[in-house]
Amino acid sequence: PIKMSYHPFTSISLRWRALFLFAVGILAAVLTLENIESIDVYSNTKDNSTQWKITERVYEEDEERFAEKSVFEEGEICSYFSSGSSSYTSSKLWQTHLPQIFQASHHPSMPQKSKLSTDELGDPDSYNPSEAKVMHDLLEDILTPTRLRKGLMHIPPTTKSSHEIIDNVIRIVQNRIRAPEDYPPLNIVVLGGSVTLGRGCDKARVQNKNCAWPKRLELLCNQFFSTVLNSKQNRKESYSIVKVYNMAIGGTSTQSTATKLIEYWMYPKELKESGPDVIINSYSTNDSLPEYDAVDAVINVMERVQKSAQTFLRAALTSKPCRTAPPLVLYVDDYLGPQQPSILGEMSYNTAITQLSKWYDTMAVSYADVVRDIVYKDTGGRLFFTEWDVHYGHWAHQTIAWTVGFAAIELTSRFCDDEYQKRFDRKSQNENDVGGVDIANLVTPKGQEQHQTSQLVHPFVLPPPLTRDLLLKNATAEFEAAKEQYRLNDAKCNTSDEQLSIDHSPCAITVMSSPGLDTGGSLNKMMSKYTTNNKNWAIENDIKNGGWKNKIGWVANNPNATFTLAFTDLSKDIKAMTIFYLKSYGEKWKNSRARFTISTTTNDNRENILSKEDVWGVHNITASTTESIKFLLSDTVASGGTMKVKVDLISGNTFKILGMMICRY
């Protein structure tokens, strides 16, 4: 044996040695943090109890070195994100600007008093506090950056495939800040069901889009930018940097509705030309509902979400061929229950979306992950969750807006870190091009903004679909096939001038009536214009009550009801017709079934049946859902031709049509 030399430290017991090392570590930490200074900031509100404690490390030498090598011009978003040795993380930026975030989160209709109880706030001195005090306590003590980081399911890196998408978003925001009178805002479309529509957010109304989180996100972004920019420019102006379009439709899902809205370009009229810059899918609640006859609800939800979400992603990412960068696609998981008895089942959606967002390198955030531990430890609390209902109150909606806002800062911070390195390398080497985005073109020159929507852009490279059929042994070949498809699409974009004036919509007729899109006017106008025969069908427009009554539609009111639509001089070749319709339950909907017959007239005036199919309007689920069905025609109706659609109620007392698309495919 080797004889160890004696040392006084080795003779001390293990416990005392551990305590000694712990004390040394504490001393080192104190010495390291000697430059930390604590700054007290008071929010500019009537409630003086909202005092902020912001701890900020001072890097005087590092900041001085950074100033010497800064590569971002004044006015660029990245100029607000320090790089180098004193990099600003999203957590630090959030904490530093907490007073401004607090101000920006104030909703114009915020009540003066909160309805929360003492137990829900966890503070015996906070009974019936002001809304401002509740918001302050949430931001300061509960929804800290440490907790908000839990909601980052996937933030896309600035790789070759996703850089163009992120850069396009950054460019739009920068141009809008620099010259709001010359450039449009960042247009964001949010798709979802009744949760996203705001059902339960404002107890005084069945649904309230002004209370729902998409509106709160818009307020947060615009009011934050206004606060920060006004403080820097010594102004008092209101900036509208982003515009959020809440296209939520109660009772719908990604499979039944969302993908078709994208494919058929069914956007608000302001977006018909260019489409949205960001598409947010917020269907987590409705997509998490298992089929009523599912043997294994956990697997059922997982597989259905993988299929429907993947179809949606591929449609969204290829929705702008050859014109601009694809939209940034963001999934928002705001579902906590209760639709399954198993917690694992309640998390099936989250698991599937995490896989797909990483596979396609798109963005995904989870409000559920931010508050899941709080909710499941006390399911009786009403702050973030309602144990008997999938809908929740306004503080949950506000927290979703904060979760998405924090993720946006994280995305921007990572982009700026990568962009800094590219620009610094370029600046150091004094080269014209070493990859990355052109510095001079990051901010669009004034007067050239019209060219931004028509310049050719390389198509997005989609990976092969992530399914059970994608095997490891075939993966390389599948990715090579995806690259080849990209090369074919790229060649089309670079050789065809017609691509610059591409007609995004494949449909001659599109109409969708819902609280999220319109008030029934478009559907009523279409029926009035094209109906040649009508017996007992009419528009139903009662949005004041819950259940099936909050879904506006064209309704059969009596048995044997019938109507016929006649379309002439169709503007496109027609190969398919899709309808949106209601499925419901109970005595009213018993045996509800309609027959759809699509036909055209031959040259010798004979009727040519192109499609005939029966559709059920009743199901065994105690919920009213929006479904869709596509009728493929046996022959193509040529552009300029005519087509008839006859609908007969063949059983039951009612049937409700919510929308119709007559399209090329």
Side-chain angles (χ1 to χ4, degrees):
I2 300 175
K3 186 176 182 180
M4 301 291 293
S5 59
Y6 173 78
H7 191 281
F9 188 70
T10 61
S11 65
I12 304 175
S13 67
L14 182 61
R15 186 185 349 180
W16 286 105
R17 272 184 280 171
L19 288 173
F20 174 78
L21 292 174
F22 178 74
V24 171
I26 292 294
L27 178 61
V30 171
L31 292 174
T32 303
L33 298 176
E34 63 180 0
N35 285 328
I36 291 182
E37 58 184 32
S38 190
I39 306 173
D40 290 346
V41 181
Y42 295 86
S43 63
N44 184 24
T45 67
K46 296 179 181 179
D47 190 349
N48 292 328
S49 63
T50 53
Q51 178 177 343
W52 304 93
K53 295 289 186 179
I54 301 175
T55 303
E56 182 176 353
R57 184 184 298 276
V58 179
Y59 292 96
E60 295 182 355
E61 294 182 1
D62 288 344
E63 292 291 351
E64 186 175 331
R65 285 197 297 269
F66 170 74
E68 294 176 355
K69 60 183 181 182
S70 177
V71 296
F72 297 115
E73 299 177 3
E74 183 179 357
E76 293 187 61
I77 288 182
C78 293
S79 65
Y80 302 111
F81 289 72
S82 298
S83 299
S85 57
S86 57
S87 176
Y88 272 17
T89 64
S90 56
S91 296
K92 184 174 182 181
L93 284 162
W94 185 269
Q95 194 66 31
T96 302
H97 291 92
L98 206 54
Q100 290 86 0
I101 292 169
F102 174 75
Q103 288 289 336
S105 301
H106 278 69
H107 196 289
S109 60
M110 178 184 288
Q112 292 300 311
K113 293 292 184 180
S114 172
K115 297 180 181 179
L116 295 175
S117 68
T118 303
D119 293 337
E120 289 169 312
L121 289 172
D123 181 357
D125 299 324
S126 60
Y127 179 72
N128 199 24
S130 69
E131 289 277 295
K133 180 63 165 60
V134 175
M135 182 184 293
H136 172 272
D137 290 349
L138 284 173
L139 286 170
E140 179 84 340
D141 301 323
I142 300 177
L143 301 172
T144 62
T146 300
R147 179 168 290 280
L148 290 172
R149 283 199 302 270
K150 297 172 69 174
L152 303 176
M153 298 170 67
H154 184 64
I155 303 296
T158 52
T159 56
K160 183 177 180 180
S161 60
S162 59
H163 183 277
E164 189 172 51
I165 296 175
I166 302 171
D167 173 52
N168 183 58
V169 172
I170 297 292
R171 185 196 302 270
I172 292 170
V173 173
Q174 286 181 167
N175 288 339
R176 181 69 171 179
I177 292 174
R178 183 173 66 88
E181 66 280 0
D182 296 327
Y183 297 96
L186 182 73
N187 290 312
I188 302 173
V189 158
V190 183
L191 305 172
S194 58
V195 172
T196 309
L197 194 57
R199 185 181 180 90
C201 181
D202 182 353
K203 298 301 182 183
R205 297 180 61 183
V206 172
Q207 44 217 353
N208 187 344
K209 288 199 290 184
N210 286 329
C211 179
W213 71 260
K215 182 63 177 180
R216 293 175 182 271
L217 177 64
E218 182 182 76
L219 288 170
L220 175 64
C221 294
N222 290 332
Q223 293 180 168
F224 176 78
F225 275 115
S226 297
T227 301
V228 173
L229 294 175
N230 285 334
S231 65
K232 290 182 176 294
Q233 302 170 4
N234 194 25
R235 295 180 179 178
K236 290 185 178 181
E237 296 185 11
S238 178
Y239 289 85
S240 178
I241 306 301
V242 305
K243 173 64 177 176
V244 179
Y245 295 87
N246 188 345
M247 291 178 58
I249 307 171
T252 60
S253 65
T254 296
Q255 180 178 351
S256 71
T257 305
T259 301
K260 294 177 178 62
L261 294 179
I262 299 298
E263 289 178 337
Y264 296 149
W265 207 254
M266 293 192 67
Y267 298 122
K269 60 182 180 180
E270 298 90 342
L271 302 180
K272 285 293 186 180
E273 175 61 29
S274 60
D277 307 306
V278 180
I279 298 175
I280 299 180
N281 183 308
S282 183
Y283 271 110
S284 59
T285 297
N286 292 1
D287 286 356
S288 293
L289 180 66
E291 294 174 312
Y292 75 95
D293 57 349
V295 177
D296 187 331
V298 177
I299 299 300
N300 177 260
V301 170
M302 181 92 67
E303 292 185 343
R304 286 194 303 113
V305 171
Q306 285 176 334
K307 181 178 180 180
S308 63
Q310 190 158 207
T311 303
F312 175 85
L313 272 171
R314 299 180 76 87
L317 291 171
T318 57
S319 62
K320 294 184 177 184
C322 305
R323 295 200 52 176
T324 62
L328 174 66
V329 180
L330 166 61
Y331 268 90
V332 173
D333 171 25
D334 54 8
Y335 175 69
L336 289 156
Q339 294 181 138
Q340 292 196 46
S342 166
I343 292 293
L344 192 62
E346 302 288 40
M347 297 177 66
S348 294
Y349 176 90
N350 184 288
T351 302
I353 293 301
T354 299
Q355 289 179 340
L356 290 174
S357 62
K358 293 179 184 296
W359 183 254
Y360 286 91
D361 246 348
T362 192
M363 195 170 175
V365 301
S366 175
Y367 156 76
D369 284 345
V370 170
V371 300
R372 195 184 303 278
D373 59 323
I374 298 175
V375 168
Y376 289 170
K377 287 176 182 177
D378 179 16
T379 56
R382 293 187 293 119
L383 189 61
F384 302 118
F385 174 72
T386 305
E387 62 179 333
W388 62 86
D389 191 359
V390 295
H391 307 97
Y392 30 66
H394 70 284
W395 284 120
H397 282 269
Q398 184 61 60
T399 303
I400 298 171
W402 286 330
T403 300
V404 177
F406 183 85
I409 294 177
E410 177 68 22
L411 177 72
T412 307
S413 176
R414 294 187 188 187
F415 173 86
C416 292
D417 278 343
D418 293 343
E419 192 64 28
Y420 170 84
Q421 190 59 53
K422 292 176 182 178
R423 294 193 185 192
F424 181 65
D425 290 345
R426 180 184 300 179
K427 184 176 181 180
S428 300
Q429 299 172 20
N430 195 26
E431 294 180 356
N432 292 326
D433 185 14
V434 293
V437 59
D438 186 353
I439 300 176
N441 290 328
L442 189 63
V443 178
T444 306
K446 186 174 181 179
Q448 296 185 15
E449 61 274 5
Q450 297 299 324
H451 300 290
Q452 295 300 308
T453 59
S454 60
Q455 61 183 0
L456 287 172
V457 177
H458 295 295
F460 186 79
V461 184
L462 286 174
L466 183 62
T467 67
R468 292 179 183 269
D469 297 329
L470 182 61
L471 306 179
L472 182 60
K473 64 180 181 180
N474 300 330
T476 300
E478 293 291 342
F479 273 96
E480 286 300 321
K483 290 181 181 178
E484 179 60 28
Q485 185 61 50
Y486 161 78
R487 284 190 284 268
L488 292 174
N489 294 339
D490 191 38
K492 292 180 181 178
C493 288
N494 287 317
T495 58
S496 176
D497 292 336
E498 295 180 0
Q499 294 294 327
L500 293 177
S501 58
I502 187 171
D503 182 4
H504 286 290
S505 176
C507 305
I509 302 291
T510 59
V511 61
M512 183 72 182
S513 183
S514 78
L517 295 180
D518 64 29
T519 58
S522 297
L523 183 60
N524 195 21
K525 289 179 182 178
M526 188 198 80
M527 294 302 179
S528 299
K529 180 178 181 179
Y530 296 107
T531 298
T532 59
N533 175 51
N534 181 19
K535 178 185 176 182
N536 295 324
W537 286 78
I539 280 288
E540 181 179 67
N541 187 359
D542 184 354
I543 197 64
K544 297 180 181 179
N545 300 306
W548 55 268
K549 286 188 177 180
N550 70 1
K551 295 176 176 63
I552 307 164
W554 182 251
V555 181
N557 293 313
N558 288 295
N560 302 316
T562 183
F563 75 94
T564 302
L565 299 174
F567 301 98
T568 60
D569 195 21
L570 291 164
S571 61
K572 293 179 172 64
D573 292 345
I574 302 301
K575 186 62 180 177
M577 184 182 84
T578 299
I579 65 160
F580 291 90
Y581 64 101
L582 186 73
K583 269 196 172 183
S584 196
Y585 61 98
E587 188 64 26
K588 177 180 175 65
W589 297 90
K590 184 178 179 180
N591 297 325
S592 171
R593 183 168 50 141
R595 175 168 295 161
F596 290 78
T597 304
I598 306 172
S599 64
T600 189
T601 303
T602 63
N603 292 333
D604 54 358
N605 291 323
R606 289 186 297 108
E607 183 182 35
N608 179 20
I609 304 297
L610 303 175
S611 178
K612 179 184 288 188
E613 191 163 346
D614 295 350
V615 181
W616 288 94
V618 63
H619 58 189
N620 294 325
I621 302 174
T622 55
S624 297
T625 61
T626 299
E627 306 293 338
S628 64
I629 185 171
K630 178 185 288 188
F631 307 107
L632 293 177
L633 308 186
S634 57
D635 291 318
T636 300
V637 179
S639 175
T642 62
M643 188 178 85
K644 287 185 178 182
V645 178
K646 187 173 186 290
V647 184
D648 301 298
L649 184 65
I650 59 175
S651 66
N653 297 313
T654 190
F655 191 92
K656 180 178 283 191
I657 298 172
L658 304 174
M660 183 179 295
M661 293 88 173
I662 299 175
C663 310
R664 292 198 305 262
Y665 52 82

